[in-house]
Amino acid sequence: MIQITFLTNHGKTVSAPVNSNLLRVSLREQGGIPFKCGGGLCGTCKCRIDKGREHTDAVKPKERKLLTEEELATGFRLACQTFIDGDIAVSWQPKDVVDRRQAAAAGEG
């Protein structure tokens, strides 16, 4: 079993089998990573692997479409596309922060 720490969710730590999908673990264990489609199309589950990046699988083409090279280089991934084979710590922008940023960008804030 591996340990996944959801930093944005008060440091909640859960156990999961090796080669687990990060979003599925978050859903099953109430880790809190936001999501909409679950298929790598919308980018809602963008998160940052803060510790244990070496325990994630290779970046997928869907991630390269939604994340910049700079984001990928600094540990950002799509949770729905990421499989874990060792202990990690993950964080993300809380949904209310994302909603406020989107509203301000659209001129609603």
Side-chain angles (χ1 to χ4, degrees), residues 9-30:
N9 189 0
H10 309 289
K12 179 177 186 167
T13 300
V14 301
S15 296
V18 171
N19 202 31
S20 289
N21 175 273
L22 181 54
L23 181 60
R24 288 188 198 125
V25 173
S26 177
L27 292 170
R28 183 175 59 242
E29 301 291 342
Q30 298 175 340

Side-chain angles (χ1 to χ4, degrees), residues 5-81:
T5 301
F6 297 97
L7 296 171
T8 308
N9 189 0
H10 309 289
K12 179 177 186 167
T13 300
V14 301
S15 296
V18 171
N19 202 31
S20 289
N21 175 273
L22 181 54
L23 181 60
R24 288 188 198 125
V25 173
S26 177
L27 292 170
R28 183 175 59 242
E29 301 291 342
Q30 298 175 340
I33 296 174
F35 76 101
K36 284 186 182 171
C37 76
L41 301 174
C42 72
T44 304
C45 65
K46 178 172 95 170
C47 58
R48 182 173 175 193
I49 308 301
D50 293 291
K51 187 184 92 187
R53 253 187 261 171
E54 69 275 14
H55 298 300
T56 61
D57 63 342
V59 173
K60 314 291 186 313
K62 288 179 179 181
E63 292 176 284
R64 293 196 185 280
K65 288 181 182 177
L66 294 169
L67 302 173
T68 66
E69 284 302 317
E70 182 180 337
E71 286 175 321
L72 292 168
T74 56
F76 283 92
R77 297 289 304 266
L78 297 181
C80 68
Q81 299 296 302

